[in-house]
Amino acid sequence: MRTESTRCCVVGGGPAGMMAGLLLARQGVEVIVLEKHADFLRDFRGDTVHPSTLELIAELGWIEEFLSLPHSRMPDVTVSIGGRAVTFADFSRLPARCPYIAFMPQWDVLDFLAGKAAAYPSFRLLRSTRATELIVEDGRVAGVRATTADGPLEVRADLVIGADGRHSTLRDQAGLEATASSPPMDVLWFRLPRREDDQVPFFQGGKGALVAIDRGEFWQLAYTIPPGASEELKTAGMSAFRERVAGLAPALSDRVALLGDWDQIHQLTVRVDRLRRWHRPGLLCIGDAAHAMSPAGGVGINLAVQDAVATVNLLGPILRGADVPSDADLARVQARRERAVRVTQAFQVGILRDLYPKETADDTAGHVPPIFTVFKALPPLRHLMGRFIGMGVRPEHIEHPGV
């Protein structure tokens, strides 16, 4: 078995893992990031880059280069339910250099972060490397074992950061327990060609609910369904599903025939949970590994990046020196980030619950969330919601200079 040693091993090359690895290397900390795939090209990953994340990239001095990548911009969130349009969040007054959500393929975002990280000599990204087992010695996590194309690998580290997503191997092996909330929906992702003259609302409610994301040459579409209802839709048949989509987005009615079979549709089984304890000696979980989020608002990526920044702000100076982060040091990260997670999950699961169908025959126009009525009556509140969605409960900032 090949063995590597490093100060910090980050498991997972998603937004949380790549940002943590990049910022640690920027401080001169030796870090190895393990990514189980050979590249970042996966369909139907979240592709929202919120104003708070754009602000972090601006603080690092890379915003012009980042925004030169193909993307679209959303200055507000307007939803249409039963033909009634309501602006739910307005980002125009945010105290940020980029007051909008940027829609950018996540693989482009991750490639950008990986490219910047590669400029630091203390950074290494090992692709096609799947972490399989924690190394535990004297009650403390001392690294991970992994499989690679070249055989087994052991990475010894003073700190392991688990950023391996909502199906985290590390958090299960560490015995970290989660508190689960009842998710309001599952999501069926698919794509259809886009035309320049298309008029498709970002969110359309009616017989179900449909989110449309402009990806340039095509629409990335998310059809929300009651939890566990996918088999019922499949039994009804693809023709009935096409009718549902056309009913919500008439502009796409001439293209729904391109949905020929269920292999074109990717199901996301939504889970919302939160670890009671994000850490044990030598191991810290962040991002979806610590708190799986609903896709509502696209805020999961934002929270994952904020977790990474807080982690490096608090632990980077320790790792840059000769000490090893104590369990109390790891607890400080959870203490800083947990309130933001709790508030955001309560918003996703509770306040927005009526936005989604209760059963497959449900018309969501019949149970508009009360908060939408308030926003229609008091339009200035949309700026407060813009701050909540765009910046988060506790936005983080880059605190330490690079080497």
Side-chain angles (χ1 to χ4, degrees):
M1 179 179 291
R2 182 164 57 98
T3 301
E4 302 277 358
S5 295
T6 186
R7 283 290 271 162
C8 180
C9 177
V10 180
V11 176
M18 287 307 306
M19 182 62 82
L22 163 60
L23 294 180
L24 284 171
R26 180 176 172 272
Q27 289 192 30
V29 176
E30 287 191 354
V31 58
I32 294 176
V33 177
L34 307 183
E35 167 54 38
K36 64 184 179 181
H37 297 287
D39 54 44
F40 300 124
L41 291 172
R42 247 90 62 221
D43 277 340
F44 308 122
R45 301 184 78 159
D47 57 1
T48 53
V49 186
H50 283 60
S52 60
T53 301
L54 294 169
E55 188 69 14
L56 290 168
I57 295 172
E59 290 175 2
L60 291 165
W62 304 329
I63 192 62
E64 290 185 6
E65 182 181 355
F66 183 76
L67 292 177
S68 70
L69 297 172
H71 69 282
S72 59
R73 302 179 182 185
M74 187 169 70
D76 58 50
V77 179
T78 298
V79 303
S80 177
I81 302 178
R84 295 174 293 170
V86 178
T87 298
F88 181 58
D90 188 330
F91 307 118
S92 62
R93 297 184 185 177
L94 290 181
R97 278 164 275 201
C98 302
Y100 49 80
I101 289 178
F103 285 95
M104 182 183 295
Q106 192 177 114
W107 53 79
D108 284 345
V109 176
L110 296 176
D111 278 334
F112 180 87
L113 297 178
K116 290 299 182 183
Y120 297 102
S122 61
F123 177 86
R124 294 177 63 193
L125 171 61
L126 303 184
R127 301 177 188 263
S128 301
T129 303
R130 180 186 295 271
T132 58
E133 183 182 357
L134 290 171
I135 301 171
V136 181
E137 296 176 348
D138 299 324
R140 180 181 179 86
V141 173
V144 298
R145 294 188 179 92
T147 58
T148 76
D150 299 322
L153 170 68
E154 185 173 277
V155 181
R156 294 271 171 170
D158 295 315
L159 174 66
V160 174
I161 295 178
D164 50 341
R166 63 184 60 231
H167 302 293
S168 171
T169 298
L170 298 193
R171 81 176 193 177
D172 291 342
Q173 287 208 357
L176 300 175
E177 297 181 359
T179 300
S181 301
S182 176
M185 80 292 201
D186 286 343
V187 177
L188 300 180
W189 287 103
F190 57 98
R191 61 175 60 174
L192 289 173
R194 178 184 173 275
R195 296 176 187 151
E196 288 297 328
D197 59 348
D198 279 343
Q199 297 293 323
V200 181
F202 172 68
F203 183 98
Q204 176 70 47
K207 192 174 181 181
L210 187 73
V211 177
I213 300 172
D214 180 354
R215 293 289 292 268
E217 294 182 355
F218 62 90
W219 290 103
Q220 181 168 309
L221 299 158
Y223 184 79
T224 65
I225 61 175
S230 62
E231 290 304 318
E232 183 179 347
L233 290 178
K234 289 180 180 179
T235 299
M238 179 56 72
S239 177
F241 181 73
R242 289 194 292 261
E243 290 178 6
R244 286 172 173 269
V245 175
L248 289 168
L252 302 178
S253 58
D254 61 339
R255 277 157 278 173
V256 295
L258 295 173
L259 295 173
D261 58 60
W262 293 102
D263 290 339
Q264 296 172 256
I265 297 172
H266 173 82
Q267 180 178 348
L268 171 65
T269 300
V270 176
R271 59 186 286 182
V272 179
D273 63 28
R274 182 178 64 253
L275 293 180
R276 292 185 172 90
R277 181 181 174 93
W278 297 16
H279 57 92
R280 58 172 289 180
L283 171 70
L284 172 68
C285 291
I286 62 174
D288 274 1
H291 46 78
M293 308 297 292
S294 157
V299 295
I301 299 170
N302 180 52
L303 279 169
V305 170
Q306 300 290 318
D307 285 356
V309 175
T311 296
V312 177
N313 284 343
L314 292 168
L315 304 183
I318 300 172
L319 291 166
R320 195 168 61 242
D323 293 335
V324 174
S326 67
D327 205 41
D329 293 324
L330 305 185
R332 289 169 60 207
V333 177
Q334 178 176 352
R336 179 168 183 86
R337 297 299 309 156
E338 189 168 31
R339 178 173 174 269
V341 172
R342 287 177 177 270
V343 171
T344 306
Q345 287 184 335
F347 171 78
Q348 290 185 317
V349 174
I351 295 176
L352 294 184
R353 179 175 292 276
D354 285 342
L355 199 58
Y356 307 107
K358 313 294 185 186
E359 55 188 30
T360 55
D362 189 14
D363 186 342
T364 55
H367 49 78
V368 179
I371 194 171
F372 278 65
T373 304
V374 174
F375 275 72
K376 198 164 186 177
L378 300 171
L381 292 179
R382 67 185 61 166
H383 297 290
L384 292 177
M385 186 55 64
R387 188 180 183 97
F388 175 75
I389 293 176
M391 303 303 292
V393 174
R394 191 173 195 173
E396 304 289 346
H397 297 279
I398 308 297
E399 292 185 358
H400 303 289
V403 294

